[in-house]
Amino acid sequence: MTNYSHIDLHSHSNVSDGLLSPSALVQHAAEHGLKVLALTDHDDTAGLAEARIAAEQHGITLIPGVEISVTWRRRTVHVVGLRVDATHAPLVEGLRQIRAGRHTRAQGMAASLEKAGIEGSLEGAYRYAGEGIISRTHFARFLMENGYGNEMRKVFKRFLVKGKPGYVEHHWAGLEEAVGWILGAGGVAVIAHPGRYDMGRPTMLELIEEFRSCGGSAIEVVTGSHTPDQYLEYARIAAMFGLQASQGSDYHGQGLSYMEMGRLPALPANCVPVWQNWPEAALPAEVH
Ligand code: AMP
Ligand code: MN
Ligand code: MN
Ligand code: MN
């Protein structure tokens, strides 16, 4: 039997593109055996206050986090910030600007879908986004609702990736900028799900080198979107660069996730866990 980890450092609420409210997400984590959960919504920290209250009620430690959208060499990569002070002004302002850019991009996506004969997608996507950020996931849900597919993955492939009608080239934050906001907010910067970037190993190593030179110190090794082979591959890369290792489900809700909560295996043995010196992440028995 696999010994599942009680720590999950990557998850989404409906403040970004997850299905559950921050408090329902925390409850879900508790019901699935987690003791430490990071809420890492895309480009927004608005769910942290609600999540913190729920975490206290459920006896869970909440790690305040965020997943920042970054453009690096014209590619999109994600940088997770953990243990951030979400009131740090440059972080607040930086995220606000990214969210404004999301709105502009959404208008472009809708215009482009309209040219392909699909009307009403802006309003339709915003109905799913509510007051939170607008993302491709919300467009995908609108498209599914209107009969353009019944599987998220397929809808992305057909409409929402490079070269398809609903895809709009977008410039997110710079790598150095995003890492700077995270460090300025007292947090740790983590490269999210490196195995998902389609860039080839030499470019990947350059990304990691540049990330490290900006002050980034960790990389996701075990994530819901890595295969077991990738756990080992990124554990080796972490060791090679002297980076700490993180783990997270990247849970978005049922039907939207690669993995259920509470199903993360332990990090490979040669990893230095990103939480190793966090007192709040130690199990009660481990506190001396
Ligand atoms: P955005 O940040 O608005 O470009 O949307 C990116 C989000 O879309 C990711 O965080 C995932 O939640 C989701 N996503 C991206 N690619 C896919 C895919 N191929 N299948 C399902 N969801 C995806
Ligand atoms: Mn997402
Ligand atoms: Mn991501
Ligand atoms: Mn994520």
Side-chain angles (χ1 to χ4, degrees):
M1 208 186 92
T2 314
N3 223 343
Y4 296 125
S5 176
H6 62 284
I7 299 179
D8 186 336
L9 299 178
H10 189 152
S11 70
H12 295 271
S13 76
N14 63 3
V15 162
S16 61
D17 55 350
L19 295 180
L20 301 177
S21 67
S23 54
L25 181 80
V26 168
Q27 180 175 347
H28 189 79
E31 286 168 359
H32 286 74
L34 291 174
K35 295 284 181 233
V36 179
L37 176 73
L39 175 60
T40 56
D41 276 312
H42 297 288
D43 309 319
D44 206 334
T45 57
L48 293 175
E50 181 185 318
R52 181 175 302 287
I53 294 168
E56 275 168 29
Q57 286 166 353
H58 292 283
I60 276 202
T61 297
L62 180 81
I63 306 293
V66 64
E67 180 175 17
I68 304 183
S69 308
V70 164
T71 300
W72 180 78
R73 298 191 188 170
R74 303 195 62 195
R75 300 161 193 275
T76 299
V77 299
H78 287 171
V79 176
V80 163
L82 296 174
R83 277 183 129 199
V84 292
D85 168 5
T87 67
H88 178 66
L91 175 67
V92 170
E93 177 53 23
L95 296 181
R96 195 192 60 72
Q97 281 184 26
I98 300 179
R99 292 195 299 272
R102 279 188 173 277
H103 177 66
T104 311
R105 180 185 69 150
Q107 289 174 316
M109 286 170 66
S112 172
L113 284 168
E114 197 157 326
K115 274 194 207 136
I118 300 171
E119 290 183 8
S121 68
L122 189 65
E123 298 71 23
Y126 266 108
R127 265 203 301 280
Y128 286 113
E131 289 173 9
I133 63 142
I134 183 84
S135 86
R136 281 185 292 160
T137 313
H138 302 114
F139 279 86
R141 288 167 70 186
F142 163 81
L143 289 166
M144 286 162 74
E145 171 195 322
N146 286 279
Y148 292 101
N150 46 20
E151 238 184 274
M152 189 62 109
R153 211 171 296 232
K154 289 189 184 154
V155 172
F156 263 85
K157 218 171 160 182
R158 193 169 149 209
F159 295 102
L160 299 170
V161 296
K162 213 171 255 190
K164 298 300 159 74
Y167 186 82
V168 169
E169 198 75 45
H170 190 69
H171 191 83
W172 304 105
L175 181 64
E176 188 172 6
E177 208 175 20
V179 172
W181 298 334
I182 292 168
L183 299 190
V188 178
V190 186
I191 294 186
H193 44 63
R196 275 203 4 224
Y197 308 137
D198 187 17
M199 54 174 68
R201 189 174 165 97
T203 310
M204 171 65 69
L205 298 185
E206 285 170 24
L207 166 66
I208 295 170
E209 184 57 54
E210 196 174 317
F211 169 75
R212 200 177 55 163
S213 71
C214 296
S217 58
I219 186 167
E220 284 184 349
V221 168
V222 169
T223 108
S225 55
H226 279 177
T227 63
D229 279 348
Q230 287 175 320
Y231 302 161
L232 299 175
E233 180 185 351
Y234 288 100
R236 276 195 298 273
I237 286 181
M240 204 169 115
F241 284 87
L243 293 171
Q244 297 179 326
S246 190
Q247 63 180 34
S249 60
D250 206 356
Y251 186 77
H252 282 71
Q254 201 170 2
L256 288 192
S257 295
Y258 296 90
M259 194 185 256
E260 178 52 276
M261 272 191 164
R263 293 290 178 274
L264 289 169
L267 288 172
N270 62 338
C271 288
V272 179
V274 64
W275 65 88
Q276 74 165 347
N277 291 320
W278 300 357
E280 75 274 32
L283 285 172
E286 295 167 359
V287 178
H288 302 293

